[in-house]
Each structure stands twice: as structure tokens, then as C-alpha cells.
Amino acid sequence: MDKMLKYASILIILISFVSFYKTFQEYKILNSGNKITVSVFSVPISCSESSKISKAYFTFYFNEKKQSKRLEGRCSINVGDKINLITNDSKDVFLFEDEDIHFEFLAGLLIFIVGIYCYYKASK
């Protein structure tokens, strides 16, 4: 049992590192990314149609490629609206200018702490 807990805790710690890496990349994009303005092409799932399984999002074209972005509670977005986003150099991550990533950072930290705690308990 302790051996399984030890492996599970290592897995949890690895997951937390992935979460930290993703959040750090988003932080860098928010602070030094490229600002762009896109036009909303469609809103396939609106806030009123959103559920735990299918989240509200909109689609837009950028560099002649169809992209999508979750609405993140911005329910007033409609087809044709101009939206300001920030993207990275490879143009594959899009964030709202005021997107808050603190929750993701705290979630990664919490997962890390749980992993360390489980590893400590398994090592006793």
C-alpha cells in the first residue's frame, strides 16, 4: 500500500509541474505576448447553453486558420464583435487581455503540496 501511495504521490507531483509550466507560459504571454484584435465568427455554445461538459466558446479566424477560445464568463460576446486577445509567438495560445491565471497557479501549488504530503506519508 505504501509503495502504491509513493508512486501515486510522484504522479501527483509530476502533474503539478505540468500545471506550473502551463501557467507560467500563460503568465509570460500575458506580460510579453503579441496583442491582436480578432472578429468573432461564431458562438457555437453560448453561456446559456454551457454545461459542465461543454463549455461556452467562440470561434474566430486568425492567420487564415479557424481558432476557438472559451468565453470565460464573457457572455456578452456576439458574432461580429471585435475582441482583443494576446497570443504567443507560435500563435497557438490565445488569452484575453484581462484573463486571470491566479486560480490555475494556486491549483498547481495545491496539487504539489498534496503530492509532497502523500510522498512524506508513504515514506514513513
Side-chain angles (χ1 to χ4, degrees):
M1 179 74 166
D2 287 340
K3 196 172 189 178
M4 187 189 291
L5 181 61
K6 195 175 245 185
Y7 289 133
S9 63
I10 291 171
L11 180 63
I12 290 171
I13 292 169
L14 290 174
I15 290 170
S16 73
F17 280 123
V18 170
S19 175
F20 274 127
Y21 179 77
K22 180 182 175 281
T23 304
F24 181 71
Q25 294 303 318
E26 289 178 351
Y27 175 79
K28 284 183 5 183
I29 292 168
L30 286 173
N31 288 314
S32 61
N34 304 314
K35 293 183 180 186
I36 61 170
T37 301
V38 298
S39 182
V40 177
F41 176 72
S42 69
V43 184
I45 300 178
S46 65
C47 290
S48 61
E49 300 166 336
S50 180
S51 67
K52 288 186 178 185
I53 296 171
S54 31
K55 302 292 183 185
Y57 71 99
F58 68 95
T59 61
F60 59 94
Y61 282 94
F62 184 70
N63 286 345
E64 300 179 9
K65 186 175 178 186
K66 190 175 184 180
Q67 305 283 348
S68 64
K69 172 75 179 131
R70 285 185 41 193
L71 286 174
E72 306 287 341
R74 291 165 174 82
C75 296
S76 61
I77 292 177
N78 298 303
V79 174
D81 287 352
K82 301 288 186 195
I83 306 294
N84 294 323
L85 298 174
I86 300 176
T87 187
N88 56 353
D89 290 334
S90 59
K91 314 286 191 252
D92 60 351
V93 177
F94 299 93
L95 302 171
F96 290 106
E97 291 179 314
D98 61 344
E99 197 159 325
D100 188 11
I101 60 170
H102 292 99
F103 178 77
E104 287 86 356
F105 177 77
L106 291 175
L109 182 62
L110 182 62
I111 292 169
F112 180 75
I113 291 170
V114 167
I116 295 296
Y117 176 77
C118 290
Y119 188 83
Y120 173 76
K121 283 296 200 182
S123 297
K124 277 188 149 185

